[in-house]
Amino acid sequence: MAVPLFVFVSWVVTETMVEQTAGVEFCGTCHTMQPMVAAYLKDVHGGGGPEGVQAKCNDCHVPHENAFVYMVRKAQFGIHDVWAQLTYDLDEINWQEKRAHRELFVFDSGCLKCHKDLERATSPSAPAFIAHRAYFGEEADVKCVSCHPRVGHDALARHLPDSENGDQP
């Protein structure tokens, strides 16, 4: 009887911890994330649109292929972020340069978790189908953020310390 209770308690604690560290309330506690939080809160995905939809940080920045991959990558990213906060010269991070590599830290499985009907929805619409043909077709190398570079963080470049007041991709 003790083993099932241990498993249940472990599951509840893990689930609670994962949920508590998934959103802007947790991720925004680091000073270096403040520009990203400010831009996120103005974006449609941050609740800034008329629909009021608010994705959590982990919805986009952790892969959602399956629970195992999700947990492993969440742990890897979390350990890296703590390590960076403790050991990096945070003022030396070139955030504009990091944005150029957004395909490495924004995952299509997260996009498709919410936009699951995208392929079906674009089929009857010629412009939408043409726009997404490369994604759903032969050219599988394309990522959502390849064509949607500003998604999730409205005018992020304006909030970054190394910005020229523009909003490059």
Side-chain angles (χ1 to χ4, degrees), residues 144-159:
C144 296
V145 293
S146 301
C147 298
H148 302 279
R150 294 177 185 90
V151 70
H153 300 275
D154 185 50
L156 177 57
R158 293 185 206 138
H159 297 274

Side-chain angles (χ1 to χ4, degrees), residues 2 10 13-14 20 22 28 35 46 52 56 60 63 85 96 128 138-139 146:
S10 297
V13 168
T14 301
Q20 292 297 311
K56 293 187 176 193
C60 304
Q85 290 294 315
Q96 292 293 358
E138 303 279 324
E139 301 173 40
S146 301

Side-chain angles (χ1 to χ4, degrees), residues 49-109:
E51 292 82 21
V53 173
Q54 191 170 35
K56 293 187 176 193
C57 303
N58 283 355
D59 290 337
C60 304
H61 296 292
V62 178
H64 292 266
E65 281 86 19
N66 60 56
F68 179 76
V69 169
Y70 179 89
M71 293 299 288
V72 167
R73 297 295 280 172
K74 181 172 173 48
Q76 286 176 326
F77 293 149
I79 290 167
H80 172 268
D81 290 349
V82 169
W83 179 256
Q85 290 294 315
L86 297 173
T87 64
Y88 290 13
D89 182 354
L90 302 174
D91 294 328
E92 293 298 315
I93 296 173
N94 183 335
W95 291 104
Q96 292 293 358
E97 173 60 27
K98 285 196 168 292
R99 291 179 76 201
H101 304 288
R102 61 193 166 272
E103 287 91 350
L104 299 175
F105 50 88
V106 179
F107 298 92
D108 287 4
S109 58

Side-chain angles (χ1 to χ4, degrees), residues 101-137:
H101 304 288
R102 61 193 166 272
E103 287 91 350
L104 299 175
F105 50 88
V106 179
F107 298 92
D108 287 4
S109 58
C111 301
L112 294 173
K113 184 177 159 197
C114 295
H115 298 279
K116 56 186 163 280
D117 294 330
L118 181 63
E119 185 173 16
R120 188 171 41 90
T122 61
S123 296
S125 166
F129 176 74
I130 291 168
H132 291 98
R133 182 176 50 203
Y135 184 80
F136 291 113

